[in-house]
Structures are given as structure tokens and as C-alpha cells.
Amino acid sequence: MKNAGPSARALALILAATAVLIGSAATASAAAPDKTQGFFPVSVWYSGGKARAPMLETVTPQSREVWKKDIDQIKRLGFNTVRTWIEWTACEKTEGQYDFSALELLTDLAGEAGLRVIVQVYIDSAPDWVGVSLPDSKFVSSNGVAVESQASPGFCFDHAGVQEKILSFFKAAARAVKGKPAFYGWDLWSEPHIINWAEVYYVGDLSSVQFCYCHSTQARFRDWLQKKYGTIEALNKAWYRTLASFDEVQPPRFGTILTFTDYIDWKEFISDKLAEDLALKAAAVKSVLPDTVVTSHSAGPGIFTRPDWSGTPDDRKMSDSVDFYGASIYPKHAWTIKPWSPFYRSSGLDFVRSMGIGNGGFYIGELQAGYGVFGMKMSLPVVGTDTRDWMWSAVAYGARAVNIYAYYPMSTGYEAGGYGLVELDGKITERAEAGGQIARIITANQDLFLKALPAKAEIAILYNPLSHMVGGQQSFTGEGQTVGVNNLSESLQGVHRAFFERNIPVDFLHVRDLGTPRAAGYKLIIAPYPVMMSQPHVQALVEYVRGGGTLLTEARCGWVDEKGASSPIVPGGGLDQVFGCREHELTPLSKSGVVEIKAADEAFPLLKPGDKLDSLFFEESLDVFGKSSRIVAAFPDGRPAVVAAPFGKGRAIIVGSFLGSAYHHFKNPNNGKFFAGLADWLKVTAPVRVSSSVPDALIEGRLLKGDGYSLLFGFNRGDKAVTARFGVRTDAARPAAIDLETGQAVALVREEGRAVFEKALQPGEVWVVRVSER
């Protein structure tokens, strides 16, 4: 008998334990429930001894004494939480016989020291008895190769037997910490993918091989398809097939020239499945500990990934399954030639924050502690100023926990020697002291941080993951590059940068949130790289403009729909009537091109006629037919390139190229002014007005707003010392301010309804100020 996906019992667990999570996730951040239990964890990863995650040391008679020294040192440094881990291989070596002695001892020691405990659960490494008792549970690649587990990657969760064993493991772990005062919550899945912690190169090229094609996942996919299509006739029509029943359906293994609807369905199923799997794990621990905090985190912010990479989660969907979702942040990972730029990191943090906005915050599941290592690849050193910058940045963007990976460097494996907060012999480092100092400040003021939210954004950048998938498995860019280039990500980053440089907050809006009150509340929605979009989402954009919103889209919006079918008119789905124009001609660009502003326009107050912008990929000239439509910019030969028009109660602008991606690559200031000028036009102002003694200095001002107070974060993101001025809007007659780290009063002056502060900042320096408004 074949093993399908979640059993009826398991699905009941999902419904019972996650209804509240899913219901609350759709609300705006201001209305999000407080799921923190009044606690802001600032932790280091430590499991007892020096074993690297996910490995565990065996408890010995000496463990209590040795581990206690480490726990006491973590406490002395200033951290308030230990993030430990358990993993299936070590904790259930024999079926049904659980050994959580390490977890229990560490939790007791943490409690004695006054620390809380978050437990990371790893089931991606599995005991060998699973494969012996369930030989048909191995992962299978798209080319038919069964993966032999070597502890990792374990076995397929879709197999009913494996799923039952895993969920039983979660429940047993919950019982092990039940009643222990130090226990706080869980991270149920570290960096979710279909396959984790194993580079199975022997199955084929991992850039093209997909998972999982075992009979259990195929059965679950068929169930998913039956719910979507209802009848086999409907599926045959969508897939251009002649299948007799759903029993004959198999996931696609390659692309064809005919249609790629099957591929879109497969990738949508994978992201749905990952979110459902996470919800099952949350339900399992909540069946034992109903009030426990449940979290998870991706390998990195989803803005930098693609759904067509094998087994990549959708951060927005995952956020619905837990109290808090988040990401790993490694600005000096071994794979980086140079550290993440401020622009890159800011877009990543804003993306993670935005995908979890309904939860009222997000978790930094892993924050890099020490230099990166991957074999002989090494990153630049991590120093104390890095730790301060990274930690305060996470807090300033609305994080509800910061978990530093790891206390000790990796003791084994290809990362040996890397990613440690202290040295492997226990020597305390400058970065450990810096991190502990911030942890102490957060703990002493956690109520301030937990009751404050990032300043409300009035501009949203649309995240539409379908745009990654134009052409299905045969994806090429306008420059002839193959899959692996992340055009949507680069477009999103370019648009975000234009506002980041001016300290104007923006949200990323997932397309599944179009048509909601949250979406309707934005003054402006920008749709970068919108080349493939589902018809319901296109219609939601039309209604957004009709209702009074302002929309800017880049080229070929809605060209291809969710079935992979081309629209007869581009832009598709009726957007031609919104813009009063349609695509006339498409010309590919070998490199970059030029768009020239032709007329002064109220929508672009930072640009003047004759200003030139960079374009990218291709030129989409527009045939203008709307009586109220106006041509704002043109290509060098005079063909219309940017058209603006009123529609309903709102306004719409279309750009016949990809100015966001061009700004990301070439940094033409006019591209930035093109986007940022829209904020001026719509009277969107920065909550923190920033100026500097050094021209073109990169100074960031972030604001968290609480009831009667604000928390100002000033960052010198550049490489020069500056004197920076930060102006915060306030209605208070006599606002007061203190430096949150030193406790000293901060001088201020009142200017045009703002409290203005001045501070000399060294490169990489951070300043945190509490502004009282009563």
C-alpha cells in the first residue's frame, strides 16, 4: 500500500493548532497579537560542550560541571537565552527509546543561571533504523536516483510512517521540557528545504535535479492537484495531457515546448507542502505545550532566492504556520567575496519583516558570530563593530529575537574553526563582549522594544514569485543568461535602494495579500519585473487603482498568467485600459539602454526634461490610446517608454523596461530619483530626516514607534567619520531623549515639528536613543 501525505489525524492537528496563527497573519502589523509572552530572547547557540550543530555530545558524569562553566560565562557576557538543539539521530538511536538527557541537563543549568532556553529541532539527520524499517521512505531525485542517507539528509516526511515517527519525536521532546521554568520556545525547522545538510552530487547536477519523486510525495502531489482541478479533464486541459485518472499523474521531470503549467503546479505544491509540514510540526509540540512559542527560519531572506530552486520555501506562507518566522543572516559568510552591502542587507531585513508583518515581528534564527569557513574559503574577520551593527540592525527593523550562531566555533566538518563567538578554547573575544553588552541593554529595556513597531510604510514593493518562472524550466533572460540569475530579486533590490537612500520606509507586499485592507492602505504599490502574474492578482491591481491607489509597473506586466499562457494584449488582464496604452513593439537589449525624460511631470518632481535613465533587458515601446494618458519618457528613437494615466479614483504609470534592475546594476542617480520622486509627489515623508557633515555620506535613520515614545537608531553605513543630524517627527511640547546604552540625556532642538539630534559617528557606529513624547 502506498503512503500518501498527511494523515487525517495529522491534518486535524494542523487545523486545531494553527487556526489562530493563520487567522492572525492576515492582519496588519499594528493589530497583530503579542506572541512574545513579554520576553525578547537574545541568545547564543550552545548545546553543551563543543559539538557543532546538529551534532550532540554524549552526557557524562563530567558534563554538568563543564557545561555549567559555559552557561555561567554566557550569562556573565549578558545574554538572556541559550539556544540549544536536539536531533533525531542522537535522541532516538533505537526506535521509541528517547534520550533527551542533554536537553534536560542544559535546560536545568540554564534555569539555575537565570537564562531561558529555545530548542532547535533537527530531523534532517535521521537514525539508521528508519531506513531499515521503512525502506521505501528514501528521497528520490527527478532522475530516479534513491538517496542513501548518511544520517543526513534523512527520509521523506511525506511517507506516512516517517511522518508519524517524526511527529512522535516532536511530542516526546515537548514532554521532556514540560514543566521546566527555563524553557521558552522552539525553532521547529532550521533553513527548511526538501533536502537539508547533504550535497548529494552523485545523483546529478544539483542545479537541475529536483526532489522529491518518491511514491509518497507523488501521492501527495496528486491529492493536491485533485483539490485544485477537481476533475482529470480539467487537469488534462491545463497540462495538455490525455491522462485517464489522477492515479496516472506524475510530477514533471523536464520542460517541453508545449506548456509549463505542470511545472508551475509542481513548484506551487512544493511551497504549499513546506508550509503544511511546518504547521504539522507546530501542531505536534502544541498538542503537549499549547502556549509554547513556535518559530522557524529560512536559510536567508527569500528576496534572494527563487521558487524554482529545488525545495525553496515561500517566507510568506511559512509565516502563517508559526508564531514567528525569520531568516539566517550571514553578512560575512564564506561564500561572500566581500561583506553584504548596506543596501543588500536592508532589503533582506525589510523582506523578512514584511513577510511576517501579520505576526508582529520576526526572528533572526541565526546571526553570524565569527568569520566564515567553507573548506579553504574564508571570509573577512567578524569584529565587535560588525556584531553591534548586525544586532542593532535586526532590532531596528522589528526583530523579536536575535539568536547568534554559535557560541563555540564549528568543531568538525567543512566549516571547522568558523562561525564562533568565542574561540574554540573558550577565550572571550571582542565581538562576544559587544554582543553581550547589547543583549544586556535589550533585556533591561525589553518592554520598550516589544511594544514598539517600525514606522508605518506608505509604499509597497510587490513581491510576485511567479515572475521567476517565465518559460518554466527553460528560463532565459534578455541577455541570454540561463536559470540562476535572479532578475526579480535584482529589480526588487534596485527599487528598494532608491527609498533606502532617502530613509523612506517601504514594505514588500506578497501578491497573496493583494485585495486585502493592508494592500489598500498603501499610497503607492510598485510592481517590479511583473512579467508573469496570475489573473486574480492582476485584477486586484486594477481594483487597487480604481479605488484610489497609485500603481507603477515595469514592462510586460501580466504578459504570462499563472498557467503559462500569454495574454492577447500586453499589459494583460485589462491593465491596458488602466494605463491607456498597450505594447507596440519589443526590442531586446544586448546590454543596457537609455530612457529620456521628455516632459516635466508632477509624478517625477526630481527629474527634468532631458534627464537620462538606464534601461535593461529590452525596450517595450507603448502604443498610447487613452485620451488622458500622457507620455513622460521615450527611448532614443522617440518611441514612448513611460506612460502615466488617471484611472478610476487612482493613478497608474507603466515603464517599458526594468529601471529597478538597472539601478541595482549601474547606480545611475536618475533611476533612483525616478522612484524616489514618487514619494515626494504623494507627500510620503521620511519618519527620520537625516543630514550629514559629509556630502553623500550613507547615514541610515530607523524608527520604532511605541505608545508615547520612539526608539531612534542612527547608523553610519559609510566609510567616513561624520557628524549626523536626525530629525524625528513629534507632537510633544517638550520631548526628551536619552542614549539607551549610556543612560545619558541627549540634547535636542525643535525644528519644523521635529526633534533634532546631532551625533558624531565613526564608520560602522550605531546610536540608539529613546525619545519620550510626553
Side-chain angles (χ1 to χ4, degrees), residues 495-577:
V495 175
H496 181 275
R497 177 174 179 149
F499 296 103
F500 170 82
E501 290 171 331
R502 293 159 177 83
N503 285 281
I504 297 172
V506 295
D507 289 341
F508 289 98
L509 180 70
H510 197 291
V511 286
R512 74 197 310 242
D513 292 319
L514 285 172
T516 66
R518 176 190 166 196
Y522 293 108
K523 288 184 177 181
L524 170 66
I525 293 178
I526 299 174
Y529 201 73
V531 292
M532 184 174 180
M533 190 177 296
S534 75
Q535 284 299 301
H537 295 148
V538 172
Q539 291 307 307
L541 288 177
V542 172
E543 294 309 312
Y544 166 75
V545 180
R546 194 192 308 276
T550 300
L551 171 68
L552 182 144
T553 79
E554 292 189 311
R556 308 216 90 189
C557 188
W559 159 38
V560 181
D561 68 14
E562 69 273 25
K563 298 177 182 177
S566 179
S567 173
I569 298 175
V570 180
L575 282 171
D576 60 313
Q577 298 302 310

Side-chain angles (χ1 to χ4, degrees), residues 305-420:
T305 66
R306 297 173 56 116
D308 51 351
W309 292 347
S310 184
T312 301
D314 183 313
D315 290 0
R316 176 64 182 83
K317 293 179 182 179
M318 301 296 274
S319 292
D320 281 350
S321 297
V322 286
D323 294 316
F324 296 104
Y325 195 71
S328 294
I329 302 293
Y330 286 88
K332 288 186 175 180
H333 196 282
W335 288 107
T336 58
I337 298 174
K338 56 184 179 181
W340 289 6
S341 73
F343 313 104
Y344 187 88
R345 181 152 47 99
S346 176
S347 66
L349 288 172
D350 264 336
F351 187 88
V352 176
R353 175 188 60 78
S354 298
M355 295 302 105
I357 207 166
N359 291 336
F362 62 95
Y363 265 38
I364 300 297
E366 303 175 33
L367 181 64
Q368 184 172 355
Y371 73 99
V373 176
F374 192 96
M376 286 297 290
K377 290 180 67 67
M378 313 283 182
S379 78
L380 293 171
V382 174
V383 296
T385 53
D386 292 327
T387 302
R388 284 181 50 79
D389 179 6
W390 301 345
M391 290 180 71
W392 279 131
S393 292
V395 175
Y397 279 69
R400 290 296 182 252
V402 178
N403 300 278
I404 297 178
Y405 188 92
Y407 184 63
Y408 280 115
M410 304 299 96
S411 55
T412 60
Y414 53 70
E415 293 177 328
Y419 304 105

Side-chain angles (χ1 to χ4, degrees), residues 29 33-42 80 324 359-362 388 391-402 437-455 702-707 709-715 738-742 766-771:
S29 60
D34 181 11
K35 304 177 183 181
T36 64
Q37 300 181 7
F39 183 65
F40 193 122
V42 187
N80 62 25
F324 296 104
N359 291 336
F362 62 95
R388 284 181 50 79
M391 290 180 71
W392 279 131
S393 292
V395 175
Y397 279 69
R400 290 296 182 252
V402 178
Q437 180 186 18
I438 294 173
R440 194 176 289 112
I441 297 297
I442 293 173
T443 302
N445 298 276
Q446 59 185 341
D447 208 41
L448 291 177
F449 293 107
L450 292 174
K451 293 183 178 180
L453 291 170
R702 296 287 298 197
L703 203 66
L704 295 179
K705 294 284 292 181
D707 184 11
Y709 69 95
S710 298
L711 297 172
L712 166 67
F713 300 81
F715 299 91
I738 63 167
D739 185 311
L740 207 60
E741 294 193 86
T742 67
V766 187
W767 190 37
V768 185
V769 178
R770 175 184 177 178
V771 184

Side-chain angles (χ1 to χ4, degrees), residues 46 60-72 105 109:
Y46 174 79
T60 69
Q62 292 75 41
S63 294
R64 168 172 274 274
E65 179 182 358
V66 174
W67 297 5
K68 185 178 187 303
K69 290 180 180 179
D70 288 335
I71 292 289
D72 289 346
L105 174 57
L109 289 170

